[in-house]
Amino acid sequence: MTVFAYGVAAWLVLIGIFGVVRSDNLIHTVICVAVAQSGTYVLLLTIGYQRGAAAPIFGSSTPKGSPVVDPVVQAMTLTDIVVSATVTALLLALVIQVGKRHGTIVPDELHELRG
Amino acid sequence: MQALPTLLIAVPVAGASLLLATGRLLPRGLVDGLAVAVTLADVVLAGLLLGATGDGRVVSWAGGWQPKPHLVVGIVLVADRTGAGLALLIAVLACCALVFSWRYFESVHAHYHALILLFTAGMTGFVLTGDLFDMFVFFELMGAAAYALTAFKIEEPESVQGGLNFGVLNSLGAYLTLSGIGLLYARTGALGLPQLSVALAGRGADPLVLAAFVLVCTGWLVKAAAVPFHFWLADAHAVAPSPVCVLFSGVMAPLGVYGVARVYWTVFHGVLPDAAVHRCMLVIGVATTALGALMCVTQRHIKRLLAYSTIAHIGLFLLGFAALSALGVAGAGVYLVGHAAVKGALFLLTGLLLSRYESVDELSLYGRARGHRLAGCAFVLGALALAGLPPFGTGLGKSLVDDAGASVPLTVLTVAVSALTGGAALRVGLRVYFGLGREPHPESTSDEEVTGRDEQPDARPPHNRTPTSMTAAVAVLLAGGLAVGVVPGFADGVGRAAAAFVDQHGYVMQALSMANAPSPAPPPTEWTTAGAVSGVIATVLAVSVACAGLYGRAPSWLRRPARPALHGLHWWHSGRIGDYAAWLVLGSAALAGLLIV
């Protein structure tokens, strides 16, 4: 199970980057960046996961000392999601501007920056 | 004292929030005044922090989560002399950029100032934090502000494209870094640099730790624009407003090298074999300097030319780090500060050219700025300083990097690179301001060239003469570059900072138990005769490179093979995000290969 989850994480990061490499539409590019980032969420959550452990909230159902999953990686994932939301929104806004100024969002048709 | 690092990050964030909230209501002058006042407060705070660090570190645990023996849960800010010094440099450059912007932009909304302040806060946090995950967060904060600043001229096609390339590539790099941080946490259960250092001590370099190092370094090296992660830098610098380029070129990109050095010296030193890291950084450094210098000397778009020269110099900082010694760090440090000042001045002067003549094409600007002799002299002086003319700080830094490398081929390379980048800038200065050289034919262009002829100006031209505030910003930067090399206490201070920077044991001890261990002896950082001589040689060579560019015509036996090679080189920098992302993966794999072999 754990090995499988690590595999999923690596796959998501790599397929996201591959999507950016092969992309022929800038919106697709930005979404692929978000896919690559989802890989990091899966990786972080897998690191903190324990089979049979409860959520890290101690109370009547989970007495002190019972196994819980690692809250640190969950906090990191939350931070990561906030970062992702900001960056994806900013990049999509830039794509809209590219579309307006260049009249196209196909990377191969953008020739302003070379050499 | 404990509050200073926190304040340094909080003050610009508070200033930015205030500007965003009230910017619409305030008159323009007040917005500028407020922003400059915030950066000046930052300068004072960073100066105080630098004084407070002494030869040790100012450690502050957020929320009072002081570490207990065997139990460390807090998040820490560790300001040593290097971190505080960089924070001071960031604040001074931000102040210069804002003072220059005051009269440079005729109409600009308060969100420009707010973005600059947020950018400053992100970079300051990056250099002061002692926590690896916080480094990632501040990396993203400065990244997001930087993408927005790059695409600031939103009505211009190149700007938005440059911002997008920058954003996508840096985000991908950051996610690889985050994966590396996750792997390190999985292995050690720690995120703080001192805790990681303790957890990894005495453990060999197992494949997981090695993979984590490669992934973390990939993200930092993308920011540093090391080859083959460098593509975004020229695109971003070419389109960002000139005052922003001062911050991009002066500190933001070099912070990538800082990140690699900080993580190596606090966590991985003693874990990874020295020889492998040395070889890896040496290869990347040599590739970066050589490619940067070649691309620099074959540009005609002045801002791209300066951007490629930044790439070449970042390669030199990497070579300083590659020596893996206090002297190497000191050399890179002196070089970094000297380079930031000189390159900042050159970018500001280019900004003035752009706003006056609506072009940054070296060929079509031929002789058009003849009336501005003073600016011309400043540009030429900056170009000579870039080549390492003693007693500028760049010359001293280069000589220290050479000493640390202690190899003749490396010295030859640094002299050649300084000569090429300085010579290219000198060629621009002489051609544009003094009308020297054969009259060029600006119409002859090839497909693979960006000319910058139709560049939109950042701002309206100043009415008659250049406002004092703009001249002052340029003068302060050039004088700063000179002071780095001339004021004897400066290099001495950097030497002591470097000695503390590479003191892994002292860092861990002070962060975790507040014990102030005695600092190791600093490396010698004076001018040497050999260093001065190599600086003069580089300057003379730079003048000949400039003259060759102005008057010379390459002989046909050289032109025939060189033309397709250059053509290929320019074609390689295609401006396509997909290509850049492919090189990101290949570069990361190459990094791992270099460490394992």
Side-chain angles (χ1 to χ4, degrees), chain B residues 139 142-143 146-147 166 170 218-226 229 232-233 252-256 314:
Chain B
F139 183 84
M142 71 165 143
Y147 314 150
F166 179 18
N170 271 257
T218 301
W220 299 163
L221 286 175
V222 169
K223 187 61 92 184
F229 312 117
W232 65 269
L233 187 134
M252 183 190 72
L255 281 191
I314 283 170

mmCIF file with all atom_site columns, all heavy atoms in Angstrom, chain B residues 139 142-143 146-147 166 170 218-226 229 232-233 252-256 314:
data_model
loop_
_atom_site.group_PDB
_atom_site.id
_atom_site.type_symbol
_atom_site.label_atom_id
_atom_site.label_alt_id
_atom_site.label_comp_id
_atom_site.label_asym_id
_atom_site.label_entity_id
_atom_site.label_seq_id
_atom_site.pdbx_PDB_ins_code
_atom_site.Cartn_x
_atom_site.Cartn_y
_atom_site.Cartn_z
_atom_site.occupancy
_atom_site.B_iso_or_equiv
_atom_site.pdbx_formal_charge
_atom_site.auth_seq_id
_atom_site.auth_comp_id
_atom_site.auth_asym_id
_atom_site.auth_atom_id
_atom_site.pdbx_PDB_model_num
ATOM 1   N N   . PHE B 1 139 ? 10.694 31.000 -0.343  1.00 0.00 ? 139 PHE B N   1
ATOM 2   C CA  . PHE B 1 139 ? 11.062 30.868 -1.755  1.00 0.00 ? 139 PHE B CA  1
ATOM 3   C C   . PHE B 1 139 ? 9.839  31.111 -2.633  1.00 0.00 ? 139 PHE B C   1
ATOM 4   O O   . PHE B 1 139 ? 9.890  31.824 -3.634  1.00 0.00 ? 139 PHE B O   1
ATOM 5   C CB  . PHE B 1 139 ? 11.602 29.445 -1.955  1.00 0.00 ? 139 PHE B CB  1
ATOM 6   C CG  . PHE B 1 139 ? 12.097 29.122 -3.333  1.00 0.00 ? 139 PHE B CG  1
ATOM 7   C CD1 . PHE B 1 139 ? 13.384 29.456 -3.706  1.00 0.00 ? 139 PHE B CD1 1
ATOM 8   C CD2 . PHE B 1 139 ? 11.296 28.454 -4.242  1.00 0.00 ? 139 PHE B CD2 1
ATOM 9   C CE1 . PHE B 1 139 ? 13.857 29.135 -4.971  1.00 0.00 ? 139 PHE B CE1 1
ATOM 10  C CE2 . PHE B 1 139 ? 11.757 28.135 -5.498  1.00 0.00 ? 139 PHE B CE2 1
ATOM 11  C CZ  . PHE B 1 139 ? 13.038 28.473 -5.861  1.00 0.00 ? 139 PHE B CZ  1
ATOM 12  N N   . MET B 1 142 ? 8.720  34.929 -2.382  1.00 0.00 ? 142 MET B N   1
ATOM 13  C CA  . MET B 1 142 ? 9.476  35.823 -3.266  1.00 0.00 ? 142 MET B CA  1
ATOM 14  C C   . MET B 1 142 ? 9.199  35.479 -4.712  1.00 0.00 ? 142 MET B C   1
ATOM 15  O O   . MET B 1 142 ? 9.152  36.353 -5.577  1.00 0.00 ? 142 MET B O   1
ATOM 16  C CB  . MET B 1 142 ? 10.972 35.804 -2.952  1.00 0.00 ? 142 MET B CB  1
ATOM 17  C CG  . MET B 1 142 ? 11.728 34.566 -3.304  1.00 0.00 ? 142 MET B CG  1
ATOM 18  S SD  . MET B 1 142 ? 13.500 34.891 -3.258  1.00 0.00 ? 142 MET B SD  1
ATOM 19  C CE  . MET B 1 142 ? 14.138 33.389 -2.618  1.00 0.00 ? 142 MET B CE  1
ATOM 20  N N   . GLY B 1 143 ? 8.949  34.189 -4.984  1.00 0.00 ? 143 GLY B N   1
ATOM 21  C CA  . GLY B 1 143 ? 8.630  33.781 -6.344  1.00 0.00 ? 143 GLY B CA  1
ATOM 22  C C   . GLY B 1 143 ? 7.354  34.434 -6.843  1.00 0.00 ? 143 GLY B C   1
ATOM 23  O O   . GLY B 1 143 ? 7.342  35.081 -7.884  1.00 0.00 ? 143 GLY B O   1
ATOM 24  N N   . ALA B 1 146 ? 7.758  37.971 -7.482  1.00 0.00 ? 146 ALA B N   1
ATOM 25  C CA  . ALA B 1 146 ? 8.640  38.207 -8.628  1.00 0.00 ? 146 ALA B CA  1
ATOM 26  C C   . ALA B 1 146 ? 7.920  37.950 -9.954  1.00 0.00 ? 146 ALA B C   1
ATOM 27  O O   . ALA B 1 146 ? 8.110  38.686 -10.921 1.00 0.00 ? 146 ALA B O   1
ATOM 28  C CB  . ALA B 1 146 ? 9.878  37.321 -8.526  1.00 0.00 ? 146 ALA B CB  1
ATOM 29  N N   . TYR B 1 147 ? 7.050  36.907 -10.012 1.00 0.00 ? 147 TYR B N   1
ATOM 30  C CA  . TYR B 1 147 ? 6.327  36.657 -11.267 1.00 0.00 ? 147 TYR B CA  1
ATOM 31  C C   . TYR B 1 147 ? 5.460  37.865 -11.604 1.00 0.00 ? 147 TYR B C   1
ATOM 32  O O   . TYR B 1 147 ? 5.393  38.315 -12.752 1.00 0.00 ? 147 TYR B O   1
ATOM 33  C CB  . TYR B 1 147 ? 5.412  35.426 -11.193 1.00 0.00 ? 147 TYR B CB  1
ATOM 34  C CG  . TYR B 1 147 ? 6.006  34.169 -10.590 1.00 0.00 ? 147 TYR B CG  1
ATOM 35  C CD1 . TYR B 1 147 ? 5.210  33.248 -9.916  1.00 0.00 ? 147 TYR B CD1 1
ATOM 36  C CD2 . TYR B 1 147 ? 7.362  33.900 -10.701 1.00 0.00 ? 147 TYR B CD2 1
ATOM 37  C CE1 . TYR B 1 147 ? 5.742  32.108 -9.355  1.00 0.00 ? 147 TYR B CE1 1
ATOM 38  C CE2 . TYR B 1 147 ? 7.894  32.763 -10.134 1.00 0.00 ? 147 TYR B CE2 1
ATOM 39  C CZ  . TYR B 1 147 ? 7.087  31.876 -9.453  1.00 0.00 ? 147 TYR B CZ  1
ATOM 40  O OH  . TYR B 1 147 ? 7.610  30.748 -8.887  1.00 0.00 ? 147 TYR B OH  1
ATOM 41  N N   . PHE B 1 166 ? 8.928  32.321 -16.413 1.00 0.00 ? 166 PHE B N   1
ATOM 42  C CA  . PHE B 1 166 ? 9.558  32.421 -15.106 1.00 0.00 ? 166 PHE B CA  1
ATOM 43  C C   . PHE B 1 166 ? 8.726  31.660 -14.076 1.00 0.00 ? 166 PHE B C   1
ATOM 44  O O   . PHE B 1 166 ? 9.246  30.807 -13.335 1.00 0.00 ? 166 PHE B O   1
ATOM 45  C CB  . PHE B 1 166 ? 9.664  33.918 -14.781 1.00 0.00 ? 166 PHE B CB  1
ATOM 46  C CG  . PHE B 1 166 ? 10.264 34.274 -13.453 1.00 0.00 ? 166 PHE B CG  1
ATOM 47  C CD1 . PHE B 1 166 ? 11.018 33.379 -12.737 1.00 0.00 ? 166 PHE B CD1 1
ATOM 48  C CD2 . PHE B 1 166 ? 10.083 35.552 -12.934 1.00 0.00 ? 166 PHE B CD2 1
ATOM 49  C CE1 . PHE B 1 166 ? 11.576 33.737 -11.527 1.00 0.00 ? 166 PHE B CE1 1
ATOM 50  C CE2 . PHE B 1 166 ? 10.631 35.908 -11.726 1.00 0.00 ? 166 PHE B CE2 1
ATOM 51  C CZ  . PHE B 1 166 ? 11.367 35.001 -11.015 1.00 0.00 ? 166 PHE B CZ  1
ATOM 52  N N   . ASN B 1 170 ? 10.015 28.125 -12.311 1.00 0.00 ? 170 ASN B N   1
ATOM 53  C CA  . ASN B 1 170 ? 10.357 28.224 -10.892 1.00 0.00 ? 170 ASN B CA  1
ATOM 54  C C   . ASN B 1 170 ? 9.405  27.405 -10.033 1.00 0.00 ? 170 ASN B C   1
ATOM 55  O O   . ASN B 1 170 ? 9.827  26.827 -9.028  1.00 0.00 ? 170 ASN B O   1
ATOM 56  C CB  . ASN B 1 170 ? 10.357 29.680 -10.443 1.00 0.00 ? 170 ASN B CB  1
ATOM 57  C CG  . ASN B 1 170 ? 11.710 30.327 -10.635 1.00 0.00 ? 170 ASN B CG  1
ATOM 58  O OD1 . ASN B 1 170 ? 12.455 30.514 -9.694  1.00 0.00 ? 170 ASN B OD1 1
ATOM 59  N ND2 . ASN B 1 170 ? 12.046 30.623 -11.873 1.00 0.00 ? 170 ASN B ND2 1
ATOM 60  N N   . THR B 1 218 ? 17.980 21.135 -6.819  1.00 0.00 ? 218 THR B N   1
ATOM 61  C CA  . THR B 1 218 ? 17.417 21.474 -8.128  1.00 0.00 ? 218 THR B CA  1
ATOM 62  C C   . THR B 1 218 ? 16.600 22.760 -8.036  1.00 0.00 ? 218 THR B C   1
ATOM 63  O O   . THR B 1 218 ? 16.767 23.675 -8.843  1.00 0.00 ? 218 THR B O   1
ATOM 64  C CB  . THR B 1 218 ? 16.533 20.334 -8.642  1.00 0.00 ? 218 THR B CB  1
ATOM 65  O OG1 . THR B 1 218 ? 17.318 19.156 -8.729  1.00 0.00 ? 218 THR B OG1 1
ATOM 66  C CG2 . THR B 1 218 ? 15.962 20.658 -10.001 1.00 0.00 ? 218 THR B CG2 1
ATOM 67  N N   . GLY B 1 219 ? 15.722 22.834 -7.020  1.00 0.00 ? 219 GLY B N   1
ATOM 68  C CA  . GLY B 1 219 ? 14.904 24.032 -6.871  1.00 0.00 ? 219 GLY B CA  1
ATOM 69  C C   . GLY B 1 219 ? 15.749 25.274 -6.677  1.00 0.00 ? 219 GLY B C   1
ATOM 70  O O   . GLY B 1 219 ? 15.541 26.309 -7.322  1.00 0.00 ? 219 GLY B O   1
ATOM 71  N N   . TRP B 1 220 ? 16.752 25.199 -5.797  1.00 0.00 ? 220 TRP B N   1
ATOM 72  C CA  . TRP B 1 220 ? 17.593 26.373 -5.541  1.00 0.00 ? 220 TRP B CA  1
ATOM 73  C C   . TRP B 1 220 ? 18.374 26.743 -6.802  1.00 0.00 ? 220 TRP B C   1
ATOM 74  O O   . TRP B 1 220 ? 18.572 27.922 -7.090  1.00 0.00 ? 220 TRP B O   1
ATOM 75  C CB  . TRP B 1 220 ? 18.567 26.122 -4.404  1.00 0.00 ? 220 TRP B CB  1
ATOM 76  C CG  . TRP B 1 220 ? 18.065 25.791 -3.024  1.00 0.00 ? 220 TRP B CG  1
ATOM 77  C CD1 . TRP B 1 220 ? 18.817 25.231 -2.037  1.00 0.00 ? 220 TRP B CD1 1
ATOM 78  C CD2 . TRP B 1 220 ? 16.763 25.995 -2.430  1.00 0.00 ? 220 TRP B CD2 1
ATOM 79  N NE1 . TRP B 1 220 ? 18.063 25.070 -0.898  1.00 0.00 ? 220 TRP B NE1 1
ATOM 80  C CE2 . TRP B 1 220 ? 16.809 25.525 -1.109  1.00 0.00 ? 220 TRP B CE2 1
ATOM 81  C CE3 . TRP B 1 220 ? 15.563 26.518 -2.903  1.00 0.00 ? 220 TRP B CE3 1
ATOM 82  C CZ2 . TRP B 1 220 ? 15.710 25.573 -0.248  1.00 0.00 ? 220 TRP B CZ2 1
ATOM 83  C CZ3 . TRP B 1 220 ? 14.465 26.556 -2.056  1.00 0.00 ? 220 TRP B CZ3 1
ATOM 84  C CH2 . TRP B 1 220 ? 14.548 26.104 -0.753  1.00 0.00 ? 220 TRP B CH2 1
ATOM 85  N N   . LEU B 1 221 ? 18.833 25.716 -7.540  1.00 0.00 ? 221 LEU B N   1
ATOM 86  C CA  . LEU B 1 221 ? 19.640 26.023 -8.731  1.00 0.00 ? 221 LEU B CA  1
ATOM 87  C C   . LEU B 1 221 ? 18.779 26.609 -9.848  1.00 0.00 ? 221 LEU B C   1
ATOM 88  O O   . LEU B 1 221 ? 19.279 27.363 -10.683 1.00 0.00 ? 221 LEU B O   1
ATOM 89  C CB  . LEU B 1 221 ? 20.373 24.775 -9.220  1.00 0.00 ? 221 LEU B CB  1
ATOM 90  C CG  . LEU B 1 221 ? 21.567 24.360 -8.362  1.00 0.00 ? 221 LEU B CG  1
ATOM 91  C CD1 . LEU B 1 221 ? 22.157 23.052 -8.857  1.00 0.00 ? 221 LEU B CD1 1
ATOM 92  C CD2 . LEU B 1 221 ? 22.639 25.423 -8.333  1.00 0.00 ? 221 LEU B CD2 1
ATOM 93  N N   . VAL B 1 222 ? 17.479 26.257 -9.874  1.00 0.00 ? 222 VAL B N   1
ATOM 94  C CA  . VAL B 1 222 ? 16.592 26.916 -10.840 1.00 0.00 ? 222 VAL B CA  1
ATOM 95  C C   . VAL B 1 222 ? 16.562 28.408 -10.531 1.00 0.00 ? 222 VAL B C   1
ATOM 96  O O   . VAL B 1 222 ? 16.686 29.256 -11.413 1.00 0.00 ? 222 VAL B O   1
ATOM 97  C CB  . VAL B 1 222 ? 15.175 26.322 -10.788 1.00 0.00 ? 222 VAL B CB  1
ATOM 98  C CG1 . VAL B 1 222 ? 14.208 27.183 -11.576 1.00 0.00 ? 222 VAL B CG1 1
ATOM 99  C CG2 . VAL B 1 222 ? 15.164 24.918 -11.337 1.00 0.00 ? 222 VAL B CG2 1
ATOM 100 N N   . LYS B 1 223 ? 16.429 28.742 -9.252  1.00 0.00 ? 223 LYS B N   1
ATOM 101 C CA  . LYS B 1 223 ? 16.424 30.161 -8.868  1.00 0.00 ? 223 LYS B CA  1
ATOM 102 C C   . LYS B 1 223 ? 17.766 30.806 -9.205  1.00 0.00 ? 223 LYS B C   1
ATOM 103 O O   . LYS B 1 223 ? 17.826 31.959 -9.624  1.00 0.00 ? 223 LYS B O   1
ATOM 104 C CB  . LYS B 1 223 ? 16.129 30.263 -7.371  1.00 0.00 ? 223 LYS B CB  1
ATOM 105 C CG  . LYS B 1 223 ? 15.936 31.659 -6.847  1.00 0.00 ? 223 LYS B CG  1
ATOM 106 C CD  . LYS B 1 223 ? 14.775 32.376 -7.495  1.00 0.00 ? 223 LYS B CD  1
ATOM 107 C CE  . LYS B 1 223 ? 13.490 32.208 -6.741  1.00 0.00 ? 223 LYS B CE  1
ATOM 108 N NZ  . LYS B 1 223 ? 12.363 32.831 -7.444  1.00 0.00 ? 223 LYS B NZ  1
ATOM 109 N N   . ALA B 1 224 ? 18.854 30.039 -9.023  1.00 0.00 ? 224 ALA B N   1
ATOM 110 C CA  . ALA B 1 224 ? 20.179 30.589 -9.297  1.00 0.00 ? 224 ALA B CA  1
ATOM 111 C C   . ALA B 1 224 ? 20.443 30.681 -10.792 1.00 0.00 ? 224 ALA B C   1
ATOM 112 O O   . ALA B 1 224 ? 21.437 31.279 -11.196 1.00 0.00 ? 224 ALA B O   1
ATOM 113 C CB  . ALA B 1 224 ? 21.246 29.712 -8.644  1.00 0.00 ? 224 ALA B CB  1
ATOM 114 N N   . ALA B 1 225 ? 19.578 30.097 -11.622 1.00 0.00 ? 225 ALA B N   1
ATOM 115 C CA  . ALA B 1 225 ? 19.755 30.117 -13.072 1.00 0.00 ? 225 ALA B CA  1
ATOM 116 C C   . ALA B 1 225 ? 21.072 29.460 -13.474 1.00 0.00 ? 225 ALA B C   1
ATOM 117 O O   . ALA B 1 225 ? 21.792 29.945 -14.327 1.00 0.00 ? 225 ALA B O   1
ATOM 118 C CB  . ALA B 1 225 ? 19.675 31.528 -13.632 1.00 0.00 ? 225 ALA B CB  1
ATOM 119 N N   . ALA B 1 226 ? 21.395 28.322 -12.823 1.00 0.00 ? 226 ALA B N   1
ATOM 120 C CA  . ALA B 1 226 ? 22.570 27.559 -13.234 1.00 0.00 ? 226 ALA B CA  1
ATOM 121 C C   . ALA B 1 226 ? 22.200 26.759 -14.487 1.00 0.00 ? 226 ALA B C   1
ATOM 122 O O   . ALA B 1 226 ? 21.052 26.341 -14.634 1.00 0.00 ? 226 ALA B O   1
ATOM 123 C CB  . ALA B 1 226 ? 22.988 26.617 -12.111 1.00 0.00 ? 226 ALA B CB  1
ATOM 124 N N   . PHE B 1 229 ? 19.340 25.122 -16.025 1.00 0.00 ? 229 PHE B N   1
ATOM 125 C CA  . PHE B 1 229 ? 18.066 25.628 -15.499 1.00 0.00 ? 229 PHE B CA  1
ATOM 126 C C   . PHE B 1 229 ? 17.937 27.126 -15.744 1.00 0.00 ? 229 PHE B C   1
ATOM 127 O O   . PHE B 1 229 ? 17.125 27.788 -15.124 1.00 0.00 ? 229 PHE B O   1
ATOM 128 C CB  . PHE B 1 229 ? 17.983 25.383 -13.984 1.00 0.00 ? 229 PHE B CB  1
ATOM 129 C CG  . PHE B 1 229 ? 18.347 23.997 -13.541 1.00 0.00 ? 229 PHE B CG  1
ATOM 130 C CD1 . PHE B 1 229 ? 19.424 23.778 -12.713 1.00 0.00 ? 229 PHE B CD1 1
ATOM 131 C CD2 . PHE B 1 229 ? 17.602 22.913 -13.953 1.00 0.00 ? 229 PHE B CD2 1
ATOM 132 C CE1 . PHE B 1 229 ? 19.759 22.500 -12.291 1.00 0.00 ? 229 PHE B CE1 1
ATOM 133 C CE2 . PHE B 1 229 ? 17.928 21.635 -13.533 1.00 0.00 ? 229 PHE B CE2 1
ATOM 134 C CZ  . PHE B 1 229 ? 19.009 21.428 -12.710 1.00 0.00 ? 229 PHE B CZ  1
ATOM 135 N N   . TRP B 1 232 ? 14.935 30.724 -17.906 1.00 0.00 ? 232 TRP B N   1
ATOM 136 C CA  . TRP B 1 232 ? 13.931 31.722 -17.523 1.00 0.00 ? 232 TRP B CA  1
ATOM 137 C C   . TRP B 1 232 ? 14.550 33.078 -17.268 1.00 0.00 ? 232 TRP B C   1
ATOM 138 O O   . TRP B 1 232 ? 13.893 34.101 -17.445 1.00 0.00 ? 232 TRP B O   1
ATOM 139 C CB  . TRP B 1 232 ? 13.195 31.262 -16.264 1.00 0.00 ? 232 TRP B CB  1
ATOM 140 C CG  . TRP B 1 232 ? 14.083 31.174 -15.061 1.00 0.00 ? 232 TRP B CG  1
ATOM 141 C CD1 . TRP B 1 232 ? 14.781 30.087 -14.648 1.00 0.00 ? 232 TRP B CD1 1
ATOM 142 C CD2 . TRP B 1 232 ? 14.398 32.217 -14.152 1.00 0.00 ? 232 TRP B CD2 1
ATOM 143 N NE1 . TRP B 1 232 ? 15.513 30.381 -13.542 1.00 0.00 ? 232 TRP B NE1 1
ATOM 144 C CE2 . TRP B 1 232 ? 15.299 31.693 -13.214 1.00 0.00 ? 232 TRP B CE2 1
ATOM 145 C CE3 . TRP B 1 232 ? 14.018 33.553 -14.042 1.00 0.00 ? 232 TRP B CE3 1
ATOM 146 C CZ2 . TRP B 1 232 ? 15.824 32.449 -12.174 1.00 0.00 ? 232 TRP B CZ2 1
ATOM 147 C CZ3 . TRP B 1 232 ? 14.542 34.304 -13.002 1.00 0.00 ? 232 TRP B CZ3 1
ATOM 148 C CH2 . TRP B 1 232 ? 15.436 33.749 -12.074 1.00 0.00 ? 232 TRP B CH2 1
ATOM 149 N N   . LEU B 1 233 ? 15.829 33.095 -16.820 1.00 0.00 ? 233 LEU B N   1
ATOM 150 C CA  . LEU B 1 233 ? 16.381 34.344 -16.287 1.00 0.00 ? 233 LEU B CA  1
ATOM 151 C C   . LEU B 1 233 ? 16.455 35.436 -17.346 1.00 0.00 ? 233 LEU B C   1
ATOM 152 O O   . LEU B 1 233 ? 16.039 36.578 -17.118 1.00 0.00 ? 233 LEU B O   1
ATOM 153 C CB  . LEU B 1 233 ? 17.761 34.102 -15.681 1.00 0.00 ? 233 LEU B CB  1
ATOM 154 C CG  . LEU B 1 233 ? 18.341 35.317 -14.962 1.00 0.00 ? 233 LEU B CG  1
ATOM 155 C CD1 . LEU B 1 233 ? 18.916 34.945 -13.620 1.00 0.00 ? 233 LEU B CD1 1
ATOM 156 C CD2 . LEU B 1 233 ? 19.401 36.020 -15.772 1.00 0.00 ? 233 LEU B CD2 1
ATOM 157 N N   . MET B 1 252 ? 18.116 38.292 -6.017  1.00 0.00 ? 252 MET B N   1
ATOM 158 C CA  . MET B 1 252 ? 17.206 37.153 -6.087  1.00 0.00 ? 252 MET B CA  1
ATOM 159 C C   . MET B 1 252 ? 17.886 35.908 -6.670  1.00 0.00 ? 252 MET B C   1
ATOM 160 O O   . MET B 1 252 ? 17.867 34.843 -6.060  1.00 0.00 ? 252 MET B O   1
ATOM 161 C CB  . MET B 1 252 ? 15.966 37.486 -6.903  1.00 0.00 ? 252 MET B CB  1
ATOM 162 C CG  . MET B 1 252 ? 14.989 36.338 -6.925  1.00 0.00 ? 252 MET B CG  1
ATOM 163 S SD  . MET B 1 252 ? 13.674 36.561 -8.091  1.00 0.00 ? 252 MET B SD  1
ATOM 164 C CE  . MET B 1 252 ? 14.509 36.349 -9.633  1.00 0.00 ? 252 MET B CE  1
ATOM 165 N N   . ALA B 1 253 ? 18.489 36.045 -7.856  1.00 0.00 ? 253 ALA B N   1
ATOM 166 C CA  . ALA B 1 253 ? 19.121 34.884 -8.469  1.00 0.00 ? 253 ALA B CA  1
ATOM 167 C C   . ALA B 1 253 ? 20.302 34.374 -7.630  1.00 0.00 ? 253 ALA B C   1
ATOM 168 O O   . ALA B 1 253 ? 20.396 33.167 -7.378  1.00 0.00 ? 253 ALA B O   1
ATOM 169 C CB  . ALA B 1 253 ? 19.540 35.214 -9.895  1.00 0.00 ? 253 ALA B CB  1
ATOM 170 N N   . PRO B 1 254 ? 21.199 35.266 -7.140  1.00 0.00 ? 254 PRO B N   1
ATOM 171 C CA  . PRO B 1 254 ? 22.275 34.750 -6.281  1.00 0.00 ? 254 PRO B CA  1
ATOM 172 C C   . PRO B 1 254 ? 21.778 34.059 -5.016  1.00 0.00 ? 254 PRO B C   1
ATOM 173 O O   . PRO B 1 254 ? 22.487 33.221 -4.465  1.00 0.00 ? 254 PRO B O   1
ATOM 174 C CB  . PRO B 1 254 ? 23.081 36.008 -5.932  1.00 0.00 ? 254 PRO B CB  1
ATOM 175 C CG  . PRO B 1 254 ? 22.849 36.925 -7.069  1.00 0.00 ? 254 PRO B CG  1
ATOM 176 C CD  . PRO B 1 254 ? 21.436 36.684 -7.499  1.00 0.00 ? 254 PRO B CD  1
ATOM 177 N N   . LEU B 1 255 ? 20.553 34.375 -4.564  1.00 0.00 ? 255 LEU B N   1
ATOM 178 C CA  . LEU B 1 255 ? 20.036 33.683 -3.377  1.00 0.00 ? 255 LEU B CA  1
ATOM 179 C C   . LEU B 1 255 ? 19.904 32.183 -3.627  1.00 0.00 ? 255 LEU B C   1
ATOM 180 O O   . LEU B 1 255 ? 19.933 31.394 -2.680  1.00 0.00 ? 255 LEU B O   1
ATOM 181 C CB  . LEU B 1 255 ? 18.684 34.252 -2.964  1.00 0.00 ? 255 LEU B CB  1
ATOM 182 C CG  . LEU B 1 255 ? 18.698 35.564 -2.177  1.00 0.00 ? 255 LEU B CG  1
ATOM 183 C CD1 . LEU B 1 255 ? 17.331 35.852 -1.605  1.00 0.00 ? 255 LEU B CD1 1
ATOM 184 C CD2 . LEU B 1 255 ? 19.726 35.536 -1.080  1.00 0.00 ? 255 LEU B CD2 1
ATOM 185 N N   . GLY B 1 256 ? 19.753 31.781 -4.888  1.00 0.00 ? 256 GLY B N   1
ATOM 186 C CA  . GLY B 1 256 ? 19.729 30.356 -5.198  1.00 0.00 ? 256 GLY B CA  1
ATOM 187 C C   . GLY B 1 256 ? 21.032 29.699 -4.783  1.00 0.00 ? 256 GLY B C   1
ATOM 188 O O   . GLY B 1 256 ? 21.045 28.629 -4.164  1.00 0.00 ? 256 GLY B O   1
ATOM 189 N N   . ILE B 1 314 ? 26.879 34.290 -11.822 1.00 0.00 ? 314 ILE B N   1
ATOM 190 C CA  . ILE B 1 314 ? 26.369 33.306 -10.870 1.00 0.00 ? 314 ILE B CA  1
ATOM 191 C C   . ILE B 1 314 ? 27.195 32.027 -10.972 1.00 0.00 ? 314 ILE B C   1
ATOM 192 O O   . ILE B 1 314 ? 27.488 31.375 -9.966  1.00 0.00 ? 314 ILE B O   1
ATOM 193 C CB  . ILE B 1 314 ? 24.876 33.063 -11.121 1.00 0.00 ? 314 ILE B CB  1
ATOM 194 C CG1 . ILE B 1 314 ? 24.110 34.228 -10.535 1.00 0.00 ? 314 ILE B CG1 1
ATOM 195 C CG2 . ILE B 1 314 ? 24.421 31.762 -10.484 1.00 0.00 ? 314 ILE B CG2 1
ATOM 196 C CD1 . ILE B 1 314 ? 22.683 34.271 -10.881 1.00 0.00 ? 314 ILE B CD1 1
#
